[in-house]
Amino acid sequence: MPAYEMEIEEEDGSKKKTAVYEKNNLLDAWGKKGVTALEGGVRIYNQKYFTVSYDEERKVWYLKKEKGGACIAWSAKVVIIGTFNIDLKMANKHAQSAAECNKRVEALQKLMAGSGY
């Protein structure tokens, strides 16, 4: 996951440059049930995401962004990240969707966990 500098707006409306380390932010939020206080928030390839739901029991985290979202699931040894954008089409010519993304990520999670991963 990339690291980069970006401008973040302060409470007073001014802007400041800050370094964003996506992996660190994601891991911080993961350990805090989907919430991070690190600058830049939760980002996946410079796209800002917001937590919709974090299910620790099922090991699934659902996120939303403008015109899309993500599903992150984990097992003992792997983390699976699936993203979708409603403006893009799948191979079957249907628009990408949260439901399809979630279904595929959760199916892969189940497969990997069942294989010892």
Side-chain angles (χ1 to χ4, degrees):
M1 298 186 88
Y4 45 85
E5 275 195 358
M6 65 178 293
E7 284 190 345
I8 293 183
E9 190 169 330
E10 298 283 81
E11 289 182 23
D12 65 3
S14 65
K15 294 185 178 186
K16 75 170 188 173
K17 280 196 175 191
T18 187
V20 175
Y21 300 93
E22 289 188 2
K23 179 181 166 188
N24 295 352
N25 289 24
L26 192 64
L27 291 173
D28 184 61
W30 183 7
K32 296 176 182 168
K33 299 183 181 179
V35 179
T36 183
L38 298 177
E39 291 185 332
V42 176
R43 293 179 173 273
I44 301 172
Y45 290 95
N46 202 16
Q47 298 290 308
K48 175 91 174 193
Y49 287 80
F50 302 92
T51 295
V52 174
S53 177
Y54 185 96
D55 189 332
E56 194 166 12
E57 184 178 319
R58 291 181 40 236
K59 300 180 180 179
V60 181
W61 180 12
Y62 305 101
L63 302 110
K64 183 78 175 137
K65 71 171 190 139
E66 185 177 338
K67 295 190 175 190
C71 178
I72 301 174
W74 59 96
S75 62
K77 297 181 182 178
V78 297
V79 175
I80 302 140
I81 301 173
T83 64
F84 71 95
N85 180 326
I86 61 172
D87 288 340
L88 299 177
K89 304 279 186 213
M90 296 185 290
N92 65 5
K93 307 292 186 216
H94 291 108
Q96 295 181 0
S97 68
E100 193 64 31
C101 178
N102 298 348
K103 179 176 83 174
R104 290 175 185 224
V105 168
E106 291 171 28
L108 183 55
Q109 173 201 36
K110 185 176 181 180
L111 178 70
M112 297 302 284
S115 298
Y117 292 95

